[in-house]
Amino acid sequence: MGHEILIVDDEPDIRFLLEGILGDDGYETYSAANSDEAVQLFRDHRPSLVILDIWLQNSKMDGMELLRLFKSEEPDVPILMISGHGTIETAVASLHEGAYDFIEKPFRSDRLLVVVQRALEAVQLKQENAELRLRAGVQKTLMGNSQLMMALRGQIARVAPTNSRVLITGPAGAGKEVAARMIHAQSKRADGAFVVLNCATLSPNSFEEELFGVEATGDQPARRGVLERAHRGTLLLDEVADMPLETQGKIVRALQMRTFGRVGGHSDTKVDVRVIATTSRDLQEEIAARRFREDLFYRLAVVPLKVPALSERPEDIPALAKYFLESCAQSAGLPPRELSVDALASLQTYEWPGNIRELRNLMERMLIMAPTNGNGGGQDPIRADALPEMVRKGAPSMTRLNADADVMSLPLREARDKFETQYLQVQLMRFGGNISRTANFVCMERSALHRKLKQLGVTQEERSVTALSER
């Protein structure tokens, strides 16, 4: 789709000239000779850009008033102000009111086209950044109200204001980088840079250049490494176990002395950096195998933190799944969806080898691909049978039950017992195995629920009931 540009000028020759220049470059234009026409065209077409004369003869509003009106209605539309009688004061005033740039008449066509292109590119970049922030900023904090997550957030709150180095362990996709960003955000360095070095993606040959930077040589300028870029901020060494052994020895010295030398340089650079490291491996095993230096481990693990796997906190899954569905719907422009109770029970029994990342991806997939029954459109709940087989196969059997084929073929007592068993399994899973919360939901006394579970043979050993004992 091409860009539309609104031209507002009281001189017919200027409008004709601008239409020709912009039209030859592929832009679609609309022209207005006064403020009334300009407002009408602006509201009808919502142009990509406006070229606006400051002095408009025979108009209710001049260019500055139109500028303020346009920016109040569409703040992101760039506006170029033009004038043949402009002064520095008027140019500065228009920029203060939100104009993108100021061009004097007579203007050169190539200069005008360059400014127009830059203005449109700036808007596009701003929109792309906003979209990326929306997509990438799914988690700004570690979510969940389980005891494990509340304890972890408490540990982060205690360690963040200090300057101590932190080693964050946990499986892939569990949220280690999110924890590191929380530490930075709650620290005294929050206004400084947060720089990430992904140790798993760098080749051994380029590692030291990325870490320490490169000294200027001949006509090649110096290049700062991540240690310099993180000065007075935080450096995250992501998946630090993948750092080459030779580099490990050099960073030990840098952490100890707070100085380092650029590659190819002969002088030391002093930095003030807080280092946080993450790993999904057992560093003690890596040390035993001589793949990780013990002295580096003890310098990094001043305060060790562990981010639990998602399978360790199934009670957090409903809130996480709901959050991801809502955020994905917002970013994709799709109607929101909800999960049925049987779908949630399936999610809570799955092992989640990919942890939070896998759950987020699955919710995005379900938002797009899960079928609807046609009555509520996108509002229909996502049921368990829409989930992948590997997710729902370990769930309580009610989530896989075909009522017509199973229950309806049984005698009443057997059908009732089967239904009660499956129903209570699902509800227990829904409430993380908490007897009191389950009893409250199903409107039973806690002791009565215990007796019913015993009568039906629902035991702690069953996969769907992982924690029947009171928490």
Side-chain angles (χ1 to χ4, degrees):
M1 180 178 177
H3 291 292
E4 298 180 349
I5 297 178
L6 172 61
I7 301 166
V8 185
D9 199 294
D10 57 2
E11 298 181 51
D13 291 343
I14 295 296
R15 297 198 301 273
F16 181 81
L17 175 63
L18 287 171
E19 288 172 355
I21 294 172
L22 296 169
D24 289 344
D25 215 52
Y27 298 108
E28 185 174 354
T29 61
Y30 304 93
S31 295
N34 55 59
S35 60
D36 288 342
E37 294 177 6
V39 172
Q40 187 65 43
L41 287 170
F42 183 86
R43 290 174 176 170
D44 288 345
H45 296 282
R46 296 299 178 185
S48 306
L49 180 141
V50 179
I51 298 177
L52 177 60
D53 187 20
I54 286 184
W55 310 109
L56 290 175
Q57 302 295 326
N58 303 317
S59 287
K60 294 180 181 178
M61 292 185 285
D62 62 18
M64 293 297 291
E65 292 172 303
L66 279 176
L67 170 63
R68 286 189 284 270
L69 174 64
F70 291 164
K71 296 305 287 186
S72 68
E73 293 188 7
E74 293 287 345
D76 293 332
V77 173
I79 299 178
L80 304 183
M81 306 300 292
I82 58 175
S83 178
H85 311 284
T87 63
I88 293 178
E89 288 77 14
T90 57
V92 170
S94 66
L95 295 177
H96 282 170
E97 293 289 347
Y100 178 81
D101 207 344
F102 181 93
I103 300 177
E104 291 184 277
K105 302 176 186 176
F107 48 80
R108 292 172 49 189
S109 60
D110 56 347
R111 155 75 175 160
L112 173 72
L113 290 172
V114 166
V115 175
V116 167
Q117 182 180 1
R118 287 179 179 172
L120 293 172
E121 288 175 348
V123 172
Q124 183 178 2
L125 182 61
K126 182 178 180 181
Q127 292 172 343
E128 290 174 351
N129 287 339
E131 183 177 353
L132 286 173
R133 282 196 299 271
L134 186 62
R135 289 181 178 272
V138 171
Q139 279 185 275
K140 295 181 180 179
T141 185
L142 292 168
M143 299 178 62
N145 293 318
S146 62
Q147 291 184 357
L148 287 173
M149 295 311 293
M150 289 190 291
L152 178 57
R153 288 196 296 267
Q155 293 168 349
I156 288 174
R158 288 194 294 273
V159 73
T162 72
N163 205 36
S164 299
R165 300 186 194 110
V166 181
L167 176 64
I168 305 174
T169 60
K176 297 187 295 295
E177 184 175 335
V178 176
R181 290 183 180 275
M182 287 178 64
I183 293 172
H184 173 73
Q186 297 177 34
S187 73
K188 298 174 183 177
R189 298 170 177 266
D191 292 334
F194 181 86
V195 181
V196 180
L197 181 66
N198 192 324
C199 303
T201 61
L202 289 175
S203 67
N205 295 333
S206 62
F207 207 104
E208 291 187 22
E209 293 183 359
E210 290 294 326
L211 187 59
F212 301 118
V214 181
E215 194 60 80
T217 55
D219 58 348
Q220 295 296 320
R223 181 159 58 87
R224 296 189 307 160
V226 293
L227 276 169
E228 282 187 81
R229 298 205 303 271
H231 181 53
R232 293 177 181 164
T234 302
L235 172 62
L236 173 61
L237 299 176
D238 193 26
E239 293 300 335
V240 70
D242 290 304
M243 183 181 291
L245 269 173
E246 183 180 354
T247 307
Q248 291 179 29
K250 294 182 178 180
I251 198 172
V252 165
R253 178 185 178 275
L255 294 176
Q256 181 178 355
M257 306 300 295
R258 298 183 181 272
T259 60
F260 64 92
R262 289 176 177 168
V263 175
H266 302 287
S267 60
D268 284 342
T269 301
K270 188 173 182 63
V271 290
D272 175 18
V273 176
R274 182 184 195 173
V275 175
I276 300 175
T278 68
T279 182
S280 55
R281 299 190 203 171
D282 187 332
L283 289 188
Q284 294 292 353
E285 292 183 1
E286 297 295 307
I287 292 170
R290 299 184 181 277
R291 291 190 294 264
F292 199 81
R293 291 179 60 117
E294 189 174 16
D295 53 355
L296 177 57
F297 171 78
Y298 287 116
R299 281 182 170 82
L300 294 175
V302 176
V303 179
L305 296 179
K306 182 181 182 297
V307 179
L310 186 56
S311 59
E312 297 179 63
R313 50 188 188 105
E315 61 268 44
D316 288 336
I317 289 176
L320 285 167
K322 179 181 179 183
Y323 177 81
F324 291 141
L325 280 173
E326 290 175 351
S327 60
C328 289
Q330 182 179 3
S331 63
L334 294 172
R337 302 286 299 269
E338 293 184 353
L339 291 163
S340 63
V341 173
D342 61 339
L344 285 172
S346 294
L347 296 181
Q348 289 178 287
T349 61
Y350 181 53
E351 286 289 348
W352 297 109
N355 292 286
I356 303 295
R357 187 181 298 122
E358 184 182 6
L359 175 61
R360 181 178 62 221
N361 292 344
L362 178 61
M363 291 302 97
E364 184 171 359
R365 173 183 168 187
M366 289 296 98
L367 180 72
I368 299 169
M369 303 301 295
T372 64
N373 61 23
N375 295 327
Q379 301 293 335
D380 298 335
I382 299 171
R383 299 198 61 82
D385 56 8
L387 299 172
E389 172 63 23
M390 64 179 182
V391 175
R392 67 176 189 269
K393 66 182 180 181
S397 55
M398 176 168 283
T399 67
R400 308 186 304 276
L401 182 62
N402 182 325
D404 293 334
D406 288 348
V407 175
M408 300 305 291
S409 64
L410 299 175
L412 175 60
R413 181 165 183 165
E414 291 182 30
R416 184 183 61 202
D417 287 348
K418 185 170 186 177
F419 172 81
E420 288 182 344
T421 299
Q422 295 163 344
Y423 174 80
L424 291 175
Q425 286 176 339
V426 170
Q427 300 304 337
L428 281 165
M429 181 56 63
R430 179 184 187 183
F431 295 106
N434 188 295
I435 291 291
S436 295
R437 293 175 62 195
T438 304
N440 183 64
F441 179 80
V442 301
C443 299
M444 292 179 69
E445 292 291 336
R446 185 173 176 275
S447 58
L449 177 58
H450 268 300
R451 289 194 299 272
K452 174 60 72 173
L453 292 174
K454 184 177 180 180
Q455 173 196 333
L456 296 172
V458 179
T459 65
Q460 293 186 12
E461 285 71 27
E462 293 191 50
R463 167 131 187 89
S464 60
V465 186
T466 58
L468 288 179
S469 59
E470 190 65 40
R471 297 185 177 183

